[in-house]
């Protein structure tokens, strides 16, 4: 089994950029960035429960990491960088720490949480995610999305931006989103910070200047923070050009 994915700029002989979207997203969201990184071959992936991988289900992050490896093998990709946003960033970090990371050249993580330190925090998060999953399964998705984007992490969104996200993401399958939310919950994720700090891989943690929560998290965990000016949690969507400029500069440091 493998995930739905699409290749771009495959004629280039550089290591691949593998793009992992966030919860409620899909691989196509990355296309404006892929076009601005055309000097690199890119693979955009639809995560389980999303896009053309709606019918794919994983039971945990380990199974997700194995499925990522199987997808890369099927696509004959042996050298690659992982670029992940939010849930995709957590998957990228977990894969680097505990997955089959042979061939992984480096990590670019946007607003991904490296884990919760205490069992109480993890239990609280599991309950939080179960509640949202129950709503995604049982209520009209537009209604759930309207409340989802009122969460503090999205506080920088203007009303029109919030409505646009709801419009784009109302086509999601509620059951698929719910399964992924529960099974890969931050409450199930290990505390990755000690392993991340020992990785002998290039790693940058990208964060919107207005995303105070994740900036503080990055500083507290001593992650290699790089901020994107004037934007919030979803920096790559809010200012694609600024985000790509940072990505391309970071890659250039390693002759990529």
């Amino acid at each position: 089994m493998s995930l739905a994915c699409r290749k771009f700029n495959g004629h280039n002989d550089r290591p691949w950029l593998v793009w992992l979207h966030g919860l409620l997203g899909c691989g196509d969201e990355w296309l404006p960035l892929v076009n601005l990184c055309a000097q690199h071959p890119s693979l955009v992936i639809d995560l389980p429960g999303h896009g053309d991988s709606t019918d794919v289900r994983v039971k945990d992050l380990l199974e997700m990491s194995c499925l990522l490896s199987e997808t890369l093998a099927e696509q004959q990709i042996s050298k690659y960088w992982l670029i992940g946003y939010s849930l995709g960033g957590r998957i990228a970090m977990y894969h680097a720490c505990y997955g089959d990371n042979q061939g992984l050249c480096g990590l670019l993580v946007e607003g991904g949480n490296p884990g919760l330190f205490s069992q109480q925090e993890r239990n609280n998060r599991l309950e939080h995610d179960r509640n949202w999953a129950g709503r995604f399964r049982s209520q009209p998705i537009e209604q759930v999305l309207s409340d989802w984007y009122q969460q503090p992490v999205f506080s920088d969104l203007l009303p029109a931006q919030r409505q646009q996200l709801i419009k784009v993401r109302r086509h999601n399958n509620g059951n698929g989103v719910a399964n992924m939310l529960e099974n890969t919950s931050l409450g199930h994720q290990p505390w990755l910070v000690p392993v991340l700090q020992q990785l002998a891989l290039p790693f940058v943690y990208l964060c919107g200047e207005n995303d105070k929560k994740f900036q503080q998290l990055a500083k507290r965990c001593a992650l290699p923070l790089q901020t994107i000016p004037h934007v919030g949690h979803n920096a790559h969507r809010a200012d694609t050009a600024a985000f790509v400029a940072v990505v391309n500069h970071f890659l250039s440091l390693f002759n990529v």
Side-chain angles (χ1 to χ4, degrees):
M1 185 170 68
S2 64
L3 293 161
C5 57
R6 289 203 283 158
K7 284 177 167 176
F8 297 89
N9 309 313
H11 55 279
N12 295 327
D13 60 357
R14 300 178 178 194
W16 287 74
L17 307 183
V18 177
W19 304 82
L20 304 174
H21 63 77
L23 192 79
L24 295 162
C26 68
D28 284 357
E29 287 194 9
W30 293 115
L31 296 187
L33 289 83
V34 167
N35 291 334
L36 294 171
C37 294
Q39 69 274 35
H40 306 281
S42 279
L43 183 77
V44 298
I45 288 177
D46 288 343
L47 294 177
H50 295 73
D52 290 334
S53 298
T54 299
D55 297 330
V56 180
R57 185 171 179 175
V58 291
K59 67 176 188 288
D60 54 25
L61 281 163
L62 177 59
E63 194 166 275
M64 175 63 233
S65 179
C66 292
L67 189 52
L68 175 58
S69 294
E70 289 166 25
T71 303
L72 294 172
E74 187 174 282
Q75 297 298 322
Q76 298 182 308
I77 291 174
S78 57
K79 293 275 187 191
Y80 62 99
W81 295 75
L82 288 177
I83 305 179
Y85 164 66
S86 198
L87 168 62
R90 296 200 292 111
I91 291 167
M93 290 186 288
Y94 182 91
H95 183 75
C97 292
Y98 294 114
D100 175 10
N101 61 15
Q102 188 175 359
L104 178 60
C105 300
L107 279 178
L108 298 92
V109 174
E110 177 192 2
N113 198 316
L116 300 171
F117 189 69
S118 74
Q119 189 58 51
Q120 184 59 55
E121 286 177 300
R122 289 195 285 274
N123 291 342
N124 291 345
R125 182 55 181 249
L126 287 170
E127 184 179 357
H128 171 273
D129 288 349
R130 273 194 292 265
N131 288 339
W132 278 110
R135 292 192 60 189
F136 276 114
R137 287 192 182 100
S138 63
Q139 296 177 11
I141 194 159
E142 287 194 42
Q143 179 185 327
V144 185
L145 290 174
S146 179
D147 291 339
W148 178 265
Y149 288 114
Q150 296 293 336
Q151 293 181 94
V153 73
F154 301 114
S155 62
D156 67 296
L157 292 174
L158 299 171
Q161 294 172 315
R162 199 170 274 116
Q163 286 307 311
Q164 178 61 22
L165 276 171
I166 293 168
K167 183 180 176 184
V168 169
R169 293 181 170 171
R170 68 187 177 192
H171 306 294
N172 273 287
N173 176 290
N175 278 324
V177 170
N179 291 337
M180 193 63 173
L181 178 58
E182 281 188 318
N183 295 345
T184 62
S185 169
L186 186 60
H188 290 310
Q189 179 181 307
W191 172 245
L192 299 176
V193 173
V195 188
L196 286 171
Q197 290 174 344
Q198 298 300 316
L199 284 179
L201 284 171
F203 175 26
V204 65
Y205 190 89
L206 303 164
C207 191
E209 180 185 23
N210 300 332
D211 187 355
K212 301 304 181 190
K213 174 185 173 181
F214 280 85
Q215 272 193 71
Q216 290 166 4
L217 181 64
K219 289 172 182 173
R220 197 166 67 242
C221 298
L223 301 179
L225 176 64
Q226 171 84 48
T227 55
I228 314 294
H230 315 306
V231 292
H233 185 59
N234 195 335
H236 74 266
R237 184 181 177 91
D239 192 340
T240 298
F243 187 89
V244 167
V246 172
V247 168
N248 280 328
H249 175 70
F250 181 73
L251 293 172
S252 75
L253 298 177
F254 304 96
N255 298 314
V256 179

